[in-house]
Amino acid sequence: MVCVGVIGGGQLARMMIPAAINLGIDLRVFAEAEESSASMAVSHVGDYSQLSELEAFAQNCDVITFDHEHVPIAHLEALQAQGVRVYPPPGALALTHNKIVMRHALATLGVPQPRWAVVESEADDDRALREVGGFPCVAKIPVGGYDGKGVRVIDSFGAIADWTAAGPVLLEEKVDFRRELAQLGARRPSGQWVPWPVVETRQAEGVCSEVLAPAPGISPWQSAEAESIARSIAESIAVVGVLAVELFGTTDGRILVNELAMRPHNSGHVFTELSVTSQFEQHLRAVTDFPLGSPELISGIGVMANVFGHVDDLLARTASERFPEVKIHDYTKAPRPGRKAGHCVAVGSDVADTLGRALAVRAILHGENYDG
Ligand SMILES: Nc1ncnc2c1ncn2[C@@H]1O[C@H](COP(=O)(O)OP(=O)(O)OP(=O)(O)O)[C@@H](O)[C@H]1O
Ligand SMILES: [Mg+2]
């Protein structure tokens, strides 16, 4: 039996468990705490910043992969030097650890992206501002941002004085986008690449709120462009596993890369119900170099809505009675306002109807009045 070790015990590791069972994979999770989303597969509780703990965990695994991107790259390189298979490889994963490193790499690859510049001291301000086309622009801390934390739209450098005091800051032009998209696909070490259709992601206050798949009304040119961007990134940096490329579809019809993730991603949850192969199954197939599954869709449209705060059992029962065909996923996390606690997925043939059912279930789960 192949043993896959997953570093991180969050919802992504949790959702790999059913796929591992079906594929006959022994899944072992390295979690930070006993009480984690993936607790039923946890074999080690510890600190992933300690190389010795990673080494002990990796000893019993055929391949190491990830639920998050916080493990120091130097530790992963050390594991690799000891003969441990680490997928995605540290050299590729490094692009997801630091948004400045990612912008440099994408520029080298010639991938279309927003205009960007790095501010390291006040002396850089004028040049950087010219490069991104002036205020308002978007400032980002290069490391550790998530769910829009670490992203600010700014009108002055005073607004990021706290960040510039701490280190380099990435500036980007404020992209005039019509909508946000995400292209997901998976790549095996032997090179096989299998993409899903491009999806539309909708964010509220910088956090993904809904995903519509495939992106409604996408032109054949745009979907081909999104797929070719993702494939060229995956091939040139030798990604292994699922690659998610967050994209802007601009008002003038271009596609620009926002950021990358090299693991199952929030924008791909919809494929669990919508596609023959879920992103969790595809990730496990890829990192074990098993032939990839079909990305074919089994319904015309799928809509995923994130559930924030808490998934309450009574409300989930009410929602499931009214909408038994909509699937509710509960990450079993401790309740916290604004936290992604779960998601629901509806599939169908009509965009408005499918979106309506996903939003209705979320409204019930959020305890909002719903009269539909
Ligand atoms: N250059 C930009 N121009 C316009 N809007 C932007 C730009 N960069 C980011 N945004 C907006 O902010 C959101 C969050 O940005 P980004 O994806 O870089 O941050 P994050 O915190 O790493 O996100 P995630 O939730 O994916 O972890 C984007 O989805 C988009 O809505
Ligand atoms: Mg993002």
Side-chain angles (χ1 to χ4, degrees):
M1 200 191 261
V2 179
C3 178
V4 175
V6 184
I7 316 249
Q11 67 264 29
L12 302 177
R14 179 185 178 85
M15 291 184 276
M16 287 180 202
I17 298 170
I21 290 170
N22 292 337
L23 289 166
I25 287 172
D26 177 12
L27 194 81
R28 301 196 186 173
V29 174
F30 181 125
E32 300 84 78
E34 211 67 65
E35 302 271 288
S36 63
S37 277
S39 58
M40 70 180 82
V42 168
S43 72
H44 181 100
V45 176
D47 178 357
Y48 55 74
S49 68
Q50 298 302 314
L51 179 57
S52 57
E53 290 197 36
L54 294 172
E55 284 168 344
F57 176 72
Q59 255 185 5
N60 304 311
C61 301
D62 295 297
V63 51
I64 295 293
T65 191
F66 308 91
D67 155 277
H68 59 66
E69 39 245 354
H70 307 314
V71 185
I73 295 291
H75 288 358
L76 299 178
E77 285 167 345
L79 289 177
Q80 209 179 31
Q82 294 164 23
V84 177
R85 267 187 287 166
V86 178
Y87 289 143
L93 204 59
L95 272 63
T96 67
H97 282 218
N98 183 315
K99 288 182 176 174
I100 294 175
V101 171
M102 175 195 74
R103 288 281 174 238
H104 277 293
L106 293 179
T108 307
L109 296 179
V111 167
Q113 54 179 345
R115 286 176 286 162
W116 61 282
V118 178
V119 179
E120 291 196 59
S121 73
E122 252 177 58
D124 299 329
D125 286 1
D126 290 343
R127 174 198 47 82
L129 196 59
R130 264 198 316 279
E131 282 174 24
V132 301
F135 292 125
C137 62
V138 176
K140 299 183 177 183
I141 48 169
V143 178
Y146 68 99
D147 283 355
K149 295 174 183 65
V151 176
R152 291 180 192 161
V153 179
I154 60 164
D155 275 309
S156 75
F157 284 106
I160 48 167
D162 53 335
W163 287 355
T164 43
V169 173
L170 174 66
L171 280 199
E172 295 177 2
E173 68 170 303
K174 185 169 180 297
V175 177
D176 187 16
F177 58 80
R178 191 170 87 73
R179 61 176 168 176
E180 291 184 74
L181 303 165
Q183 174 67 57
L184 283 88
R187 186 178 173 279
R188 278 167 74 188
S190 50
Q192 187 189 11
W193 160 255
V194 173
W196 285 275
V198 64
V199 305
E200 174 177 338
T201 67
R202 297 183 177 176
Q203 349 293 321
E205 285 154 36
V207 183
C208 178
S209 180
E210 296 96 40
V211 170
L212 286 75
I218 190 101
S219 72
W221 179 85
Q222 280 200 317
S223 60
E225 171 76 355
E227 204 263 297
S228 119
I229 287 171
R231 190 183 50 227
S232 87
I233 294 170
E235 285 173 357
S236 38
I237 60 172
V239 174
V240 173
V242 167
L243 169 70
V245 184
E246 297 181 13
L247 301 159
F248 298 117
T250 68
T251 46
D252 59 4
R254 289 172 303 143
I255 302 261
L256 305 175
V257 173
N258 176 26
E259 61 164 347
L260 312 176
M262 289 173 207
R263 49 164 170 75
H265 189 255
N266 197 173
S267 59
H269 292 345
V270 66
F271 295 125
T272 299
E273 283 78 14
L274 185 64
S275 171
V276 170
T277 309
S278 78
Q279 60 169 345
F280 304 101
E281 176 178 347
Q282 203 73 308
H283 189 73
L284 291 177
R285 284 177 179 243
V287 301
T288 56
D289 202 13
F290 193 82
L292 298 178
S294 164
E296 204 182 312
L297 304 190
I298 52 190
S299 229
I301 177 91
V303 176
M304 190 274 328
N306 278 327
V307 178
F308 297 95
H310 177 50
V311 179
D312 175 81
D313 181 59
L314 274 179
L315 295 174
R317 285 166 186 270
T318 306
S320 296
E321 250 160 40
R322 294 178 75 163
F323 297 95
E325 80 290 4
V326 176
K327 298 294 179 181
I328 298 171
H329 297 247
D330 179 357
Y331 306 156
T332 65
K333 294 204 158 180
R336 194 198 295 158
R339 180 182 220 184
K340 285 176 190 161
H343 69 265
C344 56
V345 176
V347 299
S349 52
D350 177 76
V351 177
D353 164 73
T354 309
L355 178 62
R357 286 183 289 115
L359 295 183
V361 166
R362 178 176 54 200
I364 294 170
L365 293 172
H366 282 175
E368 290 157 7
N369 279 333
Y370 167 72
D371 40 59

